[in-house]
Amino acid sequence: MSNNENLFSQIYQQLSTQLGIEYLQMNGTPQNFTWNVAPTGQMDPTAYQMISAMPNWSPVGNFSPTATRFFDAYKQIFSHVTFKVSPEQQQAVTDATNQVTQKQNAIVQAESNMNQAYLAAKQNGGVIFEAQYPTISDWLASPQAQSYQTAVKDATAAFNQALAFKLQLEKAFMPQSLQNAIEATVMPTSNPASATAPRGWVKVPNGSGILEWQPEFKIGKSGQDWRNELTNGSQGAFTITLDASEQSSAMNHSWAGGSAGYSTFFWGVHGSGGWEKIDLSSQDSSLKAEIKVESSTLVDVSPGDWYDGGFLNELANATQGQSGQGFTIVSPWVANGPQGSSSLFGQYGILTTGIVQLLVAYKPSFKVTMSKATYNRNYEKFNGGGGFRIGPFNFGGNGGHESEYVHSTSGNNTFEGETTSENPVILGVVVSFPGNVSPNANKSKSAADLAEV
Protein backbone atom coordinates (compact mmCIF):
# COMPACT_ATOMS: atom_id res chain seq x y z
CA MET A 1 0.00 0.00 0.00
CA SER A 2 1.37 3.40 -0.97
CA ASN A 3 1.78 6.03 1.72
CA ASN A 4 -0.90 8.28 0.23
CA GLU A 5 -3.35 5.39 -0.04
CA ASN A 6 -2.67 4.60 3.61
CA LEU A 7 -3.45 8.17 4.65
CA PHE A 8 -6.62 8.23 2.53
CA SER A 9 -7.57 5.02 4.33
CA GLN A 10 -6.98 6.54 7.76
CA ILE A 11 -9.29 9.45 6.95
CA TYR A 12 -11.89 7.07 5.49
CA GLN A 13 -11.86 4.91 8.60
CA GLN A 14 -12.30 7.82 10.99
CA LEU A 15 -15.03 9.52 8.96
CA SER A 16 -16.96 6.24 8.74
CA THR A 17 -16.70 5.38 12.42
CA GLN A 18 -17.07 8.82 13.99
CA LEU A 19 -20.06 9.76 11.85
CA GLY A 20 -21.55 6.25 11.67
CA ILE A 21 -21.67 6.11 7.85
CA GLU A 22 -21.59 2.58 6.46
CA TYR A 23 -21.75 3.26 2.71
CA LEU A 24 -19.38 6.23 2.46
CA GLN A 25 -17.59 7.26 -0.70
CA MET A 26 -14.96 9.86 0.14
CA ASN A 27 -14.02 12.49 -2.44
CA GLY A 28 -10.62 11.94 -4.00
CA THR A 29 -10.55 15.52 -5.25
CA PRO A 30 -11.67 18.19 -2.77
CA GLN A 31 -15.05 19.79 -3.48
CA ASN A 32 -15.80 23.23 -2.07
CA PHE A 33 -19.45 24.19 -1.73
CA THR A 34 -19.53 27.32 -3.88
CA TRP A 35 -22.85 26.58 -5.56
CA ASN A 36 -24.79 29.64 -6.58
CA VAL A 37 -28.36 30.18 -5.46
CA ALA A 38 -30.38 29.38 -8.57
CA PRO A 39 -33.75 30.89 -9.52
CA THR A 40 -36.86 28.78 -8.95
CA GLY A 41 -36.98 25.88 -11.41
CA GLN A 42 -33.22 26.01 -12.03
CA MET A 43 -30.14 24.37 -10.51
CA ASP A 44 -26.53 25.54 -10.37
CA PRO A 45 -24.47 23.53 -12.92
CA THR A 46 -21.71 22.67 -10.40
CA ALA A 47 -24.31 21.30 -8.01
CA TYR A 48 -26.02 19.36 -10.76
CA GLN A 49 -22.80 17.80 -12.02
CA MET A 50 -22.14 16.26 -8.64
CA ILE A 51 -25.54 15.08 -7.47
CA SER A 52 -26.52 13.64 -10.87
CA ALA A 53 -23.43 11.41 -11.07
CA MET A 54 -23.40 7.66 -10.57
CA PRO A 55 -20.57 6.96 -8.09
CA ASN A 56 -18.00 4.34 -9.00
CA TRP A 57 -17.89 1.13 -6.99
CA SER A 58 -15.03 2.48 -4.91
CA PRO A 59 -14.45 3.92 -1.42
CA VAL A 60 -12.90 7.01 -3.06
CA GLY A 61 -14.47 8.78 -6.03
CA ASN A 62 -14.13 11.74 -8.34
CA PHE A 63 -17.01 13.72 -9.82
CA SER A 64 -15.89 14.88 -13.26
CA PRO A 65 -17.75 15.76 -16.49
CA THR A 66 -16.80 12.31 -17.84
CA ALA A 67 -18.49 10.46 -14.98
CA THR A 68 -21.51 8.34 -15.88
CA ARG A 69 -24.79 10.12 -15.21
CA PHE A 70 -27.24 8.21 -13.02
CA PHE A 71 -30.14 9.09 -15.33
CA ASP A 72 -28.31 7.75 -18.40
CA ALA A 73 -27.54 4.46 -16.67
CA TYR A 74 -31.15 4.22 -15.47
CA LYS A 75 -32.46 4.58 -19.02
CA GLN A 76 -30.00 1.97 -20.30
CA ILE A 77 -31.64 -0.57 -18.00
CA PHE A 78 -34.80 -0.38 -20.11
CA SER A 79 -32.87 -1.18 -23.28
CA HIS A 80 -32.23 -4.68 -21.88
CA VAL A 81 -35.77 -5.39 -20.68
CA THR A 82 -38.80 -6.31 -22.77
CA PHE A 83 -42.36 -6.13 -21.51
CA LYS A 84 -45.18 -8.52 -22.30
CA VAL A 85 -46.95 -7.30 -25.46
CA SER A 86 -49.56 -8.63 -27.89
CA PRO A 87 -48.38 -11.15 -30.53
CA GLU A 88 -49.08 -8.56 -33.23
CA GLN A 89 -46.59 -6.15 -31.64
CA GLN A 90 -43.85 -8.64 -30.85
CA GLN A 91 -41.88 -8.22 -34.10
CA ALA A 92 -42.07 -4.44 -33.86
CA VAL A 93 -40.67 -4.58 -30.32
CA THR A 94 -37.88 -6.92 -31.43
CA ASP A 95 -36.90 -4.57 -34.24
CA ALA A 96 -37.03 -1.58 -31.90
CA THR A 97 -34.85 -3.41 -29.36
CA ASN A 98 -32.22 -4.08 -32.04
CA GLN A 99 -32.24 -0.38 -32.97
CA VAL A 100 -31.72 0.60 -29.33
CA THR A 101 -28.73 -1.76 -29.06
CA GLN A 102 -27.15 -0.26 -32.19
CA LYS A 103 -27.59 3.27 -30.88
CA GLN A 104 -26.17 2.31 -27.51
CA ASN A 105 -23.09 0.83 -29.21
CA ALA A 106 -22.67 4.13 -31.04
CA ILE A 107 -22.50 5.98 -27.72
CA VAL A 108 -19.79 3.63 -26.47
CA GLN A 109 -17.80 4.23 -29.66
CA ALA A 110 -18.17 8.02 -29.47
CA GLU A 111 -17.05 8.07 -25.83
CA SER A 112 -14.11 5.81 -26.67
CA ASN A 113 -13.07 8.12 -29.51
CA MET A 114 -13.16 11.11 -27.15
CA ASN A 115 -11.08 9.39 -24.46
CA GLN A 116 -8.55 8.16 -27.04
CA ALA A 117 -8.23 11.68 -28.46
CA TYR A 118 -7.52 13.06 -24.99
CA LEU A 119 -4.91 10.39 -24.22
CA ALA A 120 -3.19 10.93 -27.59
CA ALA A 121 -3.12 14.71 -27.12
CA LYS A 122 -1.76 14.26 -23.59
CA GLN A 123 0.97 11.90 -24.75
CA ASN A 124 2.03 14.12 -27.66
CA GLY A 125 1.69 17.40 -25.77
CA GLY A 126 4.01 16.54 -22.88
CA VAL A 127 4.51 19.03 -20.05
CA ILE A 128 3.04 21.92 -22.05
CA PHE A 129 -0.24 20.04 -22.50
CA GLU A 130 -0.33 19.03 -18.81
CA ALA A 131 0.22 22.62 -17.73
CA GLN A 132 -2.58 23.84 -19.99
CA TYR A 133 -4.98 20.96 -19.29
CA PRO A 134 -4.13 19.42 -15.88
CA THR A 135 -7.30 17.30 -15.96
CA ILE A 136 -9.59 15.89 -18.65
CA SER A 137 -12.21 18.34 -17.38
CA ASP A 138 -10.00 21.22 -18.52
CA TRP A 139 -9.48 19.60 -21.92
CA LEU A 140 -13.21 19.02 -22.37
CA ALA A 141 -13.74 22.78 -22.04
CA SER A 142 -11.27 23.49 -24.87
CA PRO A 143 -12.12 23.92 -28.59
CA GLN A 144 -10.17 20.72 -29.40
CA ALA A 145 -12.74 18.62 -27.56
CA GLN A 146 -15.91 20.17 -28.92
CA SER A 147 -16.31 17.88 -31.93
CA TYR A 148 -15.95 14.80 -29.73
CA GLN A 149 -18.46 16.10 -27.20
CA THR A 150 -20.87 16.88 -30.02
CA ALA A 151 -20.52 13.30 -31.32
CA VAL A 152 -21.30 11.90 -27.87
CA LYS A 153 -24.27 14.24 -27.50
CA ASP A 154 -25.66 13.31 -30.92
CA ALA A 155 -25.22 9.58 -30.28
CA THR A 156 -26.97 9.93 -26.92
CA ALA A 157 -29.87 11.79 -28.52
CA ALA A 158 -30.26 9.04 -31.14
CA PHE A 159 -30.26 6.39 -28.40
CA ASN A 160 -32.89 8.28 -26.42
CA GLN A 161 -35.10 8.57 -29.49
CA ALA A 162 -34.83 4.84 -30.27
CA LEU A 163 -35.48 3.89 -26.64
CA ALA A 164 -38.50 6.20 -26.44
CA PHE A 165 -40.03 4.47 -29.47
CA LYS A 166 -39.45 1.02 -27.93
CA LEU A 167 -40.97 2.05 -24.61
CA GLN A 168 -43.96 3.58 -26.36
CA LEU A 169 -44.71 0.21 -27.97
CA GLU A 170 -44.50 -1.50 -24.58
CA LYS A 171 -46.11 1.20 -22.49
CA ALA A 172 -49.66 -0.20 -22.36
CA PHE A 173 -48.34 -3.42 -20.79
CA MET A 174 -46.43 -1.70 -17.96
CA PRO A 175 -47.68 -1.07 -14.41
CA GLN A 176 -49.29 2.38 -14.16
CA SER A 177 -46.60 3.70 -11.78
CA LEU A 178 -43.91 2.74 -14.28
CA GLN A 179 -45.87 4.31 -17.14
CA ASN A 180 -45.91 7.58 -15.19
CA ALA A 181 -42.16 7.37 -14.54
CA ILE A 182 -41.42 6.56 -18.20
CA GLU A 183 -43.45 9.59 -19.29
CA ALA A 184 -41.30 11.74 -17.01
CA THR A 185 -38.10 10.55 -18.74
CA VAL A 186 -39.14 12.12 -22.06
CA MET A 187 -37.11 15.23 -22.89
CA PRO A 188 -39.34 18.34 -22.90
CA THR A 189 -39.74 20.05 -26.28
CA SER A 190 -40.50 23.49 -24.82
CA ASN A 191 -37.97 26.30 -24.53
CA PRO A 192 -36.39 26.24 -21.05
CA ALA A 193 -35.78 30.00 -21.24
CA SER A 194 -39.52 30.70 -21.17
CA ALA A 195 -41.39 27.53 -20.13
CA THR A 196 -42.11 26.18 -16.66
CA ALA A 197 -40.17 23.02 -15.83
CA PRO A 198 -42.40 19.96 -16.37
CA ARG A 199 -42.62 17.12 -13.86
CA GLY A 200 -39.26 15.40 -13.45
CA TRP A 201 -37.16 18.09 -15.15
CA VAL A 202 -35.11 21.12 -14.12
CA LYS A 203 -33.32 23.95 -15.94
CA VAL A 204 -29.50 23.95 -15.77
CA PRO A 205 -27.23 26.51 -17.51
CA ASN A 206 -24.63 24.96 -19.84
CA GLY A 207 -21.02 26.14 -20.19
CA SER A 208 -22.19 29.13 -22.22
CA GLY A 209 -24.86 30.07 -19.69
CA ILE A 210 -27.73 28.90 -21.92
CA LEU A 211 -30.50 27.05 -20.08
CA GLU A 212 -30.99 23.38 -20.94
CA TRP A 213 -33.46 20.77 -19.71
CA GLN A 214 -31.91 18.17 -17.37
CA PRO A 215 -33.57 15.29 -15.48
CA GLU A 216 -34.39 16.53 -11.99
CA PHE A 217 -32.53 15.65 -8.80
CA LYS A 218 -33.73 17.03 -5.49
CA ILE A 219 -31.55 18.38 -2.68
CA GLY A 220 -33.05 18.19 0.79
CA LYS A 221 -31.68 21.54 1.95
CA SER A 222 -30.72 24.71 0.14
CA GLY A 223 -27.23 26.15 0.40
CA GLN A 224 -28.50 28.79 2.81
CA ASP A 225 -30.09 26.13 5.00
CA TRP A 226 -26.76 24.27 5.09
CA ARG A 227 -24.95 27.36 6.26
CA ASN A 228 -27.55 28.18 8.90
CA GLU A 229 -27.37 24.66 10.29
CA LEU A 230 -23.58 24.40 10.17
CA THR A 231 -22.90 27.79 11.74
CA ASN A 232 -25.33 27.17 14.60
CA GLY A 233 -23.13 25.47 17.20
CA SER A 234 -20.89 22.41 16.90
CA GLN A 235 -23.27 19.69 15.75
CA GLY A 236 -21.30 16.96 13.97
CA ALA A 237 -17.89 18.30 15.06
CA PHE A 238 -15.05 15.81 14.66
CA THR A 239 -11.27 15.48 14.64
CA ILE A 240 -9.18 13.38 12.24
CA THR A 241 -5.66 12.30 13.24
CA LEU A 242 -3.12 11.00 10.74
CA ASP A 243 0.12 9.17 11.44
CA ALA A 244 2.50 8.25 8.59
CA SER A 245 3.98 5.43 10.69
CA GLU A 246 0.65 3.62 11.06
CA GLN A 247 -1.16 1.44 8.54
CA SER A 248 -4.89 1.25 7.84
CA SER A 249 -6.73 -1.25 5.65
CA ALA A 250 -10.17 0.29 6.25
CA MET A 251 -10.85 0.86 2.55
CA ASN A 252 -10.01 -2.76 1.76
CA HIS A 253 -12.78 -3.72 4.19
CA SER A 254 -15.26 -1.10 3.04
CA TRP A 255 -18.57 -1.72 1.26
CA ALA A 256 -16.69 -1.57 -2.06
CA GLY A 257 -14.65 -4.62 -1.15
CA GLY A 258 -11.25 -3.09 -1.79
CA SER A 259 -9.32 0.08 -2.37
CA ALA A 260 -8.67 1.61 -5.76
CA GLY A 261 -6.06 3.68 -7.54
CA TYR A 262 -6.42 7.44 -7.26
CA SER A 263 -5.57 9.93 -9.96
CA THR A 264 -5.43 12.72 -7.41
CA PHE A 265 -2.74 13.47 -4.85
CA PHE A 266 -2.97 13.63 -1.07
CA TRP A 267 -0.79 16.65 -0.21
CA GLY A 268 -0.78 19.79 -2.33
CA VAL A 269 -0.09 23.53 -2.30
CA HIS A 270 -1.68 26.17 -4.49
CA GLY A 271 0.44 28.65 -6.43
CA SER A 272 0.13 30.88 -9.48
CA GLY A 273 0.05 27.83 -11.77
CA GLY A 274 -2.65 25.99 -9.83
CA TRP A 275 -2.37 23.01 -7.53
CA GLU A 276 1.04 21.37 -7.12
CA LYS A 277 1.61 17.95 -5.63
CA ILE A 278 4.10 17.82 -2.75
CA ASP A 279 5.53 14.70 -1.14
CA LEU A 280 5.39 15.12 2.62
CA SER A 281 4.91 11.68 4.08
CA SER A 282 6.36 8.94 1.88
CA GLN A 283 9.87 9.42 3.29
CA ASP A 284 8.94 10.87 6.68
CA SER A 285 7.43 8.31 9.03
CA SER A 286 7.47 10.87 11.85
CA LEU A 287 4.83 13.02 10.12
CA LYS A 288 1.54 13.49 11.95
CA ALA A 289 -1.48 15.63 11.14
CA GLU A 290 -4.63 16.72 12.93
CA ILE A 291 -7.70 18.04 11.12
CA LYS A 292 -10.54 19.58 13.12
CA VAL A 293 -13.99 20.33 11.75
CA GLU A 294 -16.20 22.84 13.55
CA SER A 295 -19.46 21.16 12.47
CA SER A 296 -20.83 18.79 9.84
CA THR A 297 -24.14 17.57 8.44
CA LEU A 298 -25.65 15.16 5.91
CA VAL A 299 -27.76 16.62 3.10
CA ASP A 300 -30.36 14.37 1.45
CA VAL A 301 -30.35 13.86 -2.33
CA SER A 302 -32.98 12.01 -4.40
CA PRO A 303 -33.85 11.54 -8.11
CA GLY A 304 -36.93 13.18 -9.57
CA ASP A 305 -40.32 11.75 -10.56
CA TRP A 306 -38.79 9.86 -13.51
CA TYR A 307 -37.29 7.31 -11.11
CA ASP A 308 -39.28 4.18 -10.20
CA GLY A 309 -37.34 2.42 -7.45
CA GLY A 310 -40.14 -0.06 -6.83
CA PHE A 311 -39.90 -1.43 -10.36
CA LEU A 312 -36.12 -1.70 -10.09
CA ASN A 313 -36.57 -3.79 -6.95
CA GLU A 314 -38.91 -6.12 -8.86
CA LEU A 315 -36.48 -6.29 -11.74
CA ALA A 316 -33.48 -7.05 -9.52
CA ASN A 317 -35.43 -9.87 -7.88
CA ALA A 318 -36.92 -11.12 -11.17
CA THR A 319 -40.40 -10.61 -9.75
CA GLN A 320 -43.14 -10.17 -12.33
CA GLY A 321 -45.47 -7.20 -12.11
CA GLN A 322 -49.06 -7.13 -10.90
CA SER A 323 -52.27 -8.09 -12.79
CA GLY A 324 -50.53 -10.35 -15.27
CA GLN A 325 -48.21 -7.59 -16.46
CA GLY A 326 -44.64 -8.81 -16.72
CA PHE A 327 -41.21 -8.35 -18.18
CA THR A 328 -38.24 -10.34 -19.42
CA ILE A 329 -34.57 -9.48 -19.03
CA VAL A 330 -33.11 -9.95 -22.52
CA SER A 331 -30.39 -12.60 -22.75
CA PRO A 332 -27.44 -12.49 -22.11
CA TRP A 333 -28.30 -9.84 -19.52
CA VAL A 334 -29.00 -10.83 -15.92
CA ALA A 335 -30.18 -8.90 -12.87
CA ASN A 336 -26.96 -9.18 -10.86
CA GLY A 337 -24.05 -11.31 -12.00
CA PRO A 338 -20.31 -11.76 -11.37
CA GLN A 339 -17.44 -10.01 -13.12
CA GLY A 340 -17.55 -10.59 -16.86
CA SER A 341 -21.32 -11.00 -16.94
CA SER A 342 -23.82 -8.66 -18.54
CA SER A 343 -25.46 -7.32 -15.39
CA LEU A 344 -28.07 -4.67 -14.78
CA PHE A 345 -27.27 -4.11 -11.09
CA GLY A 346 -24.55 -4.74 -8.55
CA GLN A 347 -20.82 -4.14 -8.68
CA TYR A 348 -20.49 -5.14 -12.34
CA GLY A 349 -23.80 -3.74 -13.53
CA ILE A 350 -25.01 -0.81 -15.58
CA LEU A 351 -26.78 0.90 -12.68
CA THR A 352 -24.44 0.25 -9.78
CA THR A 353 -24.89 3.02 -7.25
CA GLY A 354 -26.68 6.27 -6.49
CA ILE A 355 -26.20 9.22 -4.15
CA VAL A 356 -28.58 9.59 -1.22
CA GLN A 357 -26.66 12.08 0.94
CA LEU A 358 -23.78 14.55 0.80
CA LEU A 359 -21.34 14.72 3.74
CA VAL A 360 -20.70 18.42 4.33
CA ALA A 361 -18.15 19.91 6.74
CA TYR A 362 -17.74 23.49 7.97
CA LYS A 363 -14.62 25.46 8.95
CA PRO A 364 -11.89 22.78 8.90
CA SER A 365 -8.45 23.55 10.36
CA PHE A 366 -5.19 21.58 10.32
CA LYS A 367 -1.89 21.13 12.08
CA VAL A 368 0.94 19.10 10.55
CA THR A 369 4.13 18.19 12.43
CA MET A 370 7.08 16.66 10.60
CA SER A 371 10.83 16.19 10.67
CA LYS A 372 13.08 19.21 10.37
CA ALA A 373 14.32 18.00 6.96
CA THR A 374 10.77 17.74 5.56
CA TYR A 375 9.94 21.14 7.06
CA ASN A 376 12.98 22.82 5.51
CA ARG A 377 12.42 21.18 2.13
CA ASN A 378 8.88 22.56 1.90
CA TYR A 379 9.13 25.76 3.95
CA GLU A 380 8.90 28.16 1.01
CA LYS A 381 5.90 26.32 -0.45
CA PHE A 382 4.13 26.37 2.91
CA ASN A 383 4.54 30.12 3.32
CA GLY A 384 4.16 31.14 -0.33
CA GLY A 385 1.16 28.97 -1.21
CA GLY A 386 -2.35 30.35 -1.48
CA GLY A 387 -3.90 27.07 -0.45
CA PHE A 388 -3.22 23.67 1.07
CA ARG A 389 -4.75 20.26 0.36
CA ILE A 390 -4.98 17.23 2.63
CA GLY A 391 -6.86 14.36 1.01
CA PRO A 392 -10.51 15.45 0.62
CA PHE A 393 -9.91 18.71 2.55
CA ASN A 394 -9.26 22.00 0.76
CA PHE A 395 -7.93 25.12 2.50
CA GLY A 396 -8.11 28.14 0.15
CA GLY A 397 -6.51 28.09 -3.25
CA ASN A 398 -9.55 27.23 -5.34
CA GLY A 399 -11.80 29.48 -7.37
CA GLY A 400 -10.21 32.70 -6.12
CA HIS A 401 -10.51 31.87 -2.44
CA GLU A 402 -6.82 32.30 -1.55
CA SER A 403 -7.82 35.15 0.76
CA GLU A 404 -10.05 32.75 2.74
CA TYR A 405 -7.09 30.83 4.09
CA VAL A 406 -4.66 31.67 6.92
CA HIS A 407 -1.57 29.68 7.86
CA SER A 408 1.68 29.82 9.80
CA THR A 409 4.90 27.90 10.35
CA SER A 410 6.77 27.49 13.63
CA GLY A 411 9.33 25.48 15.55
CA ASN A 412 11.14 24.13 12.48
CA ASN A 413 8.61 21.29 12.30
CA THR A 414 5.03 22.64 12.38
CA PHE A 415 2.70 23.94 9.70
CA GLU A 416 -0.87 24.86 10.58
CA GLY A 417 -3.77 26.78 9.12
CA GLU A 418 -7.51 27.06 8.66
CA THR A 419 -10.12 28.19 6.22
CA THR A 420 -11.93 31.44 6.96
CA SER A 421 -14.50 30.76 4.24
CA GLU A 422 -18.18 30.45 5.10
CA ASN A 423 -18.54 27.90 2.29
CA PRO A 424 -18.79 24.29 3.48
CA VAL A 425 -16.60 21.51 2.07
CA ILE A 426 -18.16 18.36 0.57
CA LEU A 427 -16.06 15.48 1.92
CA GLY A 428 -17.99 12.67 0.25
CA VAL A 429 -21.32 11.05 -0.44
CA VAL A 430 -23.45 8.30 1.09
CA VAL A 431 -24.03 5.62 -1.55
CA SER A 432 -27.23 3.71 -2.28
CA PHE A 433 -27.75 0.58 -4.38
CA PRO A 434 -30.57 0.55 -6.97
CA GLY A 435 -32.72 -2.55 -6.79
CA ASN A 436 -31.56 -3.00 -3.18
CA VAL A 437 -28.61 -4.99 -4.51
CA SER A 438 -26.30 -4.37 -1.56
CA PRO A 439 -22.64 -5.44 -1.54
CA ASN A 440 -21.80 -9.04 -0.71
CA ALA A 441 -21.64 -9.61 3.01
CA ASN A 442 -18.12 -11.04 2.83
CA LYS A 443 -16.88 -7.86 1.17
CA SER A 444 -18.68 -5.36 3.34
CA LYS A 445 -18.29 -4.19 6.90
CA SER A 446 -20.32 -1.70 8.85
CA ALA A 447 -18.88 1.56 10.14
CA ALA A 448 -18.57 -0.01 13.59
CA ASP A 449 -16.61 -2.93 12.16
CA LEU A 450 -14.21 -0.55 10.42
CA ALA A 451 -13.16 0.79 13.81
CA GLU A 452 -11.56 -2.58 14.51
CA VAL A 453 -9.60 -2.74 11.26
Side-chain angles (χ1 to χ4, degrees):
M1 178 185 294
S2 69
N3 183 268
N4 284 351
E5 187 175 327
N6 171 49
L7 294 178
F8 267 119
S9 189
Q10 289 185 35
I11 293 181
Y12 185 92
Q13 176 179 346
Q14 292 175 61
L15 286 176
S16 299
T17 55
Q18 291 189 46
L19 302 179
I21 303 174
E22 182 173 5
Y23 298 123
L24 171 67
Q25 183 182 86
M26 189 169 67
N27 285 346
T29 302
Q31 301 278 339
N32 288 332
F33 170 69
T34 54
W35 303 349
N36 295 320
V37 178
T40 301
Q42 295 184 30
M43 182 172 287
D44 177 78
T46 305
Y48 190 82
Q49 177 183 308
M50 182 168 195
I51 67 171
S52 66
M54 183 178 71
N56 293 327
W57 196 278
S58 169
V60 177
N62 290 302
F63 297 89
S64 71
T66 57
T68 302
R69 301 292 97 187
F70 184 88
F71 178 79
D72 294 337
Y74 173 79
K75 290 192 72 171
Q76 284 188 42
I77 291 289
F78 293 99
S79 68
H80 303 298
V81 178
T82 60
F83 292 84
K84 180 181 178 181
V85 296
S86 66
E88 295 77 16
Q89 287 182 302
Q90 189 57 59
Q91 186 58 49
V93 170
T94 299
D95 293 342
T97 301
N98 291 335
Q99 279 291 312
V100 169
T101 301
Q102 292 177 14
K103 302 304 182 185
Q104 187 172 345
N105 291 341
I107 294 176
V108 174
Q109 185 61 56
E111 291 177 339
S112 176
N113 291 342
M114 183 173 67
N115 290 330
Q116 289 299 318
Y118 168 72
L119 293 174
K122 182 178 181 180
Q123 182 176 2
N124 295 331
V127 294
I128 297 177
F129 181 89
E130 289 204 22
Q132 189 174 9
Y133 308 116
T135 68
I136 190 172
S137 300
D138 299 301
W139 181 76
L140 287 171
S142 71
Q144 294 92 321
Q146 294 311 302
S147 62
Y148 296 99
Q149 292 203 80
T150 299
V152 172
K153 186 175 182 179
D154 290 346
T156 302
F159 166 79
N160 287 335
Q161 184 177 10
L163 181 60
F165 178 71
K166 171 183 176 291
L167 294 176
Q168 189 62 37
L169 291 174
E170 300 172 321
K171 184 177 175 182
F173 298 88
M174 298 177 184
Q176 186 60 50
S177 61
L178 183 58
Q179 290 186 41
N180 296 338
I182 292 295
E183 288 178 357
T185 67
V186 178
M187 170 75 76
T189 57
S190 55
N191 185 351
S194 57
T196 301
R199 183 175 67 91
W201 291 83
V202 67
K203 304 174 185 180
V204 181
N206 62 19
S208 301
I210 300 173
L211 292 177
E212 294 182 341
W213 292 120
Q214 296 291 351
E216 182 184 26
F217 286 82
K218 302 173 183 178
I219 302 178
K221 301 171 187 173
S222 69
Q224 187 58 48
D225 290 336
W226 289 12
R227 290 183 175 87
N228 291 341
E229 181 175 320
L230 290 164
T231 58
N232 187 21
S234 58
Q235 177 181 347
F238 61 85
T239 299
I240 298 290
T241 58
L242 303 175
D243 189 333
S245 66
E246 294 185 358
Q247 295 292 316
S248 169
S249 58
M251 289 194 294
N252 289 318
H253 296 84
S254 71
W255 62 269
S259 58
Y262 314 124
S263 58
T264 186
F265 43 84
F266 189 84
W267 306 100
V269 292
H270 195 271
S272 58
W275 284 104
E276 175 188 354
K277 176 182 178 180
I278 58 174
D279 191 6
L280 292 184
S281 51
S282 63
Q283 297 178 353
D284 185 358
S285 60
S286 71
L287 184 142
K288 293 180 173 59
E290 181 181 80
I291 305 166
K292 293 185 177 181
V293 166
E294 189 172 304
S295 59
S296 68
T297 189
L298 291 168
V299 178
D300 293 336
V301 174
S302 61
D305 290 341
W306 48 265
Y307 183 71
D308 190 336
F311 171 72
L312 295 187
N313 290 346
E314 287 185 351
L315 189 61
N317 292 296
T319 303
Q320 300 300 309
Q322 299 176 355
S323 304
Q325 296 163 322
F327 57 82
T328 300
I329 299 175
V330 180
S331 179
W333 291 85
V334 296
N336 178 25
Q339 187 173 10
S341 64
S342 298
S343 297
L344 301 183
F345 305 103
Q347 181 174 1
Y348 306 107
I350 294 174
L351 191 62
T352 56
T353 60
I355 297 174
V356 290
Q357 289 179 314
L358 307 176
L359 172 58
V360 184
Y362 177 69
K363 287 287 181 74
S365 61
F366 69 89
K367 181 178 181 180
V368 184
T369 58
M370 67 205 82
S371 68
K372 183 176 180 180
T374 301
Y375 177 90
N376 289 338
R377 186 166 59 247
N378 295 281
Y379 177 79
E380 291 184 1
K381 293 179 180 178
F382 290 155
N383 283 295
F388 191 59
R389 175 180 293 181
I390 307 177
F393 292 90
N394 248 9
F395 302 89
N398 191 26
H401 297 290
E402 288 87 348
S403 61
E404 299 175 336
Y405 162 62
V406 294
H407 58 278
S408 63
T409 50
S410 61
N412 291 327
N413 72 338
T414 302
F415 176 46
E416 55 190 316
E418 62 181 325
T419 179
T420 59
S421 173
E422 293 298 313
N423 289 322
V425 179
I426 304 171
L427 300 182
V429 300
V430 180
V431 173
S432 66
F433 306 97
N436 286 334
V437 180
S438 59
N440 294 332
N442 62 347
K443 291 186 177 181
S444 175
K445 287 195 174 184
S446 68
D449 293 331
L450 287 174
E452 302 174 2
V453 175

